[in-house]
Amino acid sequence: MMTHPMKHPATHLGALLGFLLAGLPGATRSQSFTVTNHLDIPRVDEIVGIPMDEVRRFIPADSISYVQARESDQRTYLRSQAVDNNLDGETDELLFLVSIGPGETKTFILETTGDAATAVPGNNTPAAYSRFVPERQNDYAWENDRVAFRIYGLQDTAANARKPPGGGIDAFLKRVSYPIINRWYKNNAEREGAYHIDTGEGYDPYQVGASRGLGGTGIWEDDSLFVSSHFIRAKTIAEGPLRTIFELTYAPWDANGRTVMETKRISLDLGSHLFRVTERIRADKPVPNIVAGITLHDKQGEVNADSKAGWFRYWEPMDDSWLGTAIVMDPSRVSGFRDYRTEARDQSHLLVFTTPVHNEATFYAGFAWEKSGHFKTAEAWEHYLRDFSRRLTSPLTAVFL
């Protein structure tokens, strides 16, 4: 039975922290930390996460009203977000948005203050965002300042209902930095098919059908792809504004004689073209692999890949423009890939194979649309994917002084 997601409204750092005092706040506390970019490429508007346990080491609960971070030589605070990753009512991680040059180390100050963090973003402020969309046949949609996506929920939850193949991910091609999900769904409710027409903000020309779309998953065996139906439950973990997180749960499904239980946790950061998927599966028999797929549509595009770097991309014509799609995975977890083309409808895919570890597999998927202005060529898209893969292997981390 389809259930509505748990509401967990997006709130900035100051208002969400779970350690507000019952009494008067104590004196202001502060602690310096550094962040180093070990790569020879700039890291622009990238998220640094600080575990809450680390914060409590330096700033006792009896002195905290709000916690902020700023560069040591600046008075303005960084854009921030507090995240309760397990929805137990306690903040688990503080997120800050930073920019650091190649090989640079910056010093920051984490401190308490009596002021709220930053103003809640308005409707036109770039932000990561997601929500369940029951008014449009149980979609779940997510976006940031560069890309937007949706995945379909099960429309008929009756026990004897037909369960069509599901799990394929759709791409909303946006070319504006402000949020569009709510407006596009509202426009479509008023005029069916409205978001399939580009009126200046972008549109949805991406055909999913029974395919994996952009980053859908399955199990490959005996030269066949076995997949779930549409999700049956959705849970919002964080709406944003720096990172949006949600979970989707699927009814048990058959994979060549196995009964598979599946949950996806998906997140998207502000400024990124790729969302993160952590696929969790359990089965009554060993699972040979997990595959992440990209539909090849009418097979008019070009596949390219670098398994050693962990990126796999497709570059295809899309109406009067070009679209680049991709999967990025830790290369040590890649067991192979396949440019699989067939005459069967919706079944031609770029497939990336991995072996689950402790019943989990993690990868990234996303797109670049020529008309958004960010990438004009397949080579530029590949350059981004190479750098993205390098950033994954060298994350920005806080080191307290």
Side-chain angles (χ1 to χ4, degrees), residues 50-53 82-88 90-94:
I50 302 179
M52 199 62 229
D53 288 345
V83 179
D84 176 4
N85 285 308
N86 55 12
L87 294 182
D88 66 353
E90 297 287 337
T91 298
D92 299 308
E93 188 177 22
L94 310 183

Side-chain angles (χ1 to χ4, degrees), residues 17-68:
L17 292 177
F19 42 78
L20 286 173
L21 298 186
L24 294 174
T28 298
R29 303 294 184 97
S30 65
Q31 177 65 39
S32 297
F33 65 92
T34 61
V35 177
T36 300
N37 176 9
H38 295 285
L39 301 178
D40 59 359
I41 56 176
R43 315 288 284 268
V44 179
D45 288 339
E46 199 164 323
I47 289 176
V48 173
I50 302 179
M52 199 62 229
D53 288 345
E54 284 289 298
V55 176
R56 293 190 180 100
R57 288 176 55 204
F58 302 106
I59 303 179
D62 64 358
S63 68
I64 294 173
S65 56
Y66 298 112
V67 173
Q68 307 285 353

Side-chain angles (χ1 to χ4, degrees), residues 293-322:
I294 295 175
T295 180
L296 302 185
H297 285 133
D298 56 6
K299 299 171 285 189
Q300 298 301 304
E302 176 196 31
V303 167
N304 198 15
D306 185 343
S307 293
K308 292 182 178 180
W311 60 262
F312 311 83
R313 66 90 172 148
Y314 187 54
W315 186 260
E316 65 176 318
M318 187 63 61
D319 292 338
D320 60 347
S321 186
W322 291 87

Side-chain angles (χ1 to χ4, degrees), residues 207-218:
Q207 174 64 31
V208 176
S211 78
R212 299 301 79 213
L214 177 47
T217 56

Side-chain angles (χ1 to χ4, degrees), residues 172-186:
F172 281 159
L173 309 189
K174 62 183 285 186
R175 50 179 172 181
V176 292
S177 62
Y178 54 79
I180 53 86
I181 283 174
N182 290 335
R183 179 162 45 251
W184 284 19
Y185 275 112
K186 180 177 182 294

